[in-house]
Amino acid sequence: MKALYLWLDLATIFFPLVLSFDKKVAYFRQWKFVFAAGLIVGIPFLVWDYYFTHARVWGFNPNYLTGIYITNLPIEEVLFFVVVPFSCVFIYACVKAYFEKIKFRKLNKIFYVFIFSYLFFILIFGYHGAYSQFVIATSLLTLLVIWRLRNQLHFLPISFLISIIPFMLVNSVLTGGLTTEPIVWYDDQERTPFRIFTIPAEDILYSFTLLGLNISIFELTKKIFKK
């Protein structure tokens, strides 16, 4: 199906966009902070994407694309770094609005132990792969930043756990869960041998890094503009 990746992008952003006008969340009032964070985080992710695509660590199946490219990246992949942060920060904003009196202290402690253990797992089994090495380095740096800011970001862990559900659905389609060939393919030599269904095990840390940095900078920009 041509443009399947584009349809996935549109499906990802549809409900967060429509529900942005919910009175309790009022997400639309925070869009400028969301897009500022998305731009700051998205640029290094796109540079990473460019070099890994060039090195064929991963790539894109033209059978599921519109055929429009920006350098070596399909437009759908560039849009991914708009719609996914927008949708993930929307989940975070909803959690803050609807569960503002809950601190999630025990859950948060378990979450950080899990992320560190998962990172160690990828380190053991994927130390030789470029994707594994890079995701270990970036997620470790992200974990250190978030741990330092954990008292200001105590809704981040539960938001990440909720976001895992749509993440698994979309990513399973991207990696060939419903199609004869994957939309996004990976070089098996550059990652761990483990997958969650069709999804490379590293993608959990990749998602944590993307969401964690977007939420951290989202909160930082809000604080700066409110001064």
Side-chain angles (χ1 to χ4, degrees), residues 65-89:
L65 305 175
T66 57
I68 301 170
Y69 285 78
I70 298 175
T71 65
N72 63 348
L73 298 177
I75 187 71
E76 296 89 341
E77 178 72 353
V78 177
L79 289 174
F80 175 92
F81 292 101
V82 177
V83 303
V84 170
F86 183 90
S87 303
C88 290
V89 179

Side-chain angles (χ1 to χ4, degrees), residues 30 33-34 37 89 92-93 96 149 152-156 212-226:
Q30 306 174 65
F33 309 119
V34 178
V89 179
Y92 174 76
K96 280 187 72 175
L149 301 172
Q152 290 82 47
L153 299 173
H154 52 269
F155 293 109
L156 190 152
L213 290 177
N214 268 282
I215 289 176
S216 301
I217 296 176
F218 167 72
E219 288 291 2
L220 181 64
T221 52
K222 277 174 63 178
K223 191 179 289 184
I224 291 171
F225 280 101
K226 283 182 178 177

Side-chain angles (χ1 to χ4, degrees), residues 146-161:
I146 292 174
W147 178 254
R148 189 174 176 83
L149 301 172
R150 64 190 181 282
N151 292 331
Q152 290 82 47
L153 299 173
H154 52 269
F155 293 109
L156 190 152
I158 185 65
S159 303
F160 175 75
L161 293 174

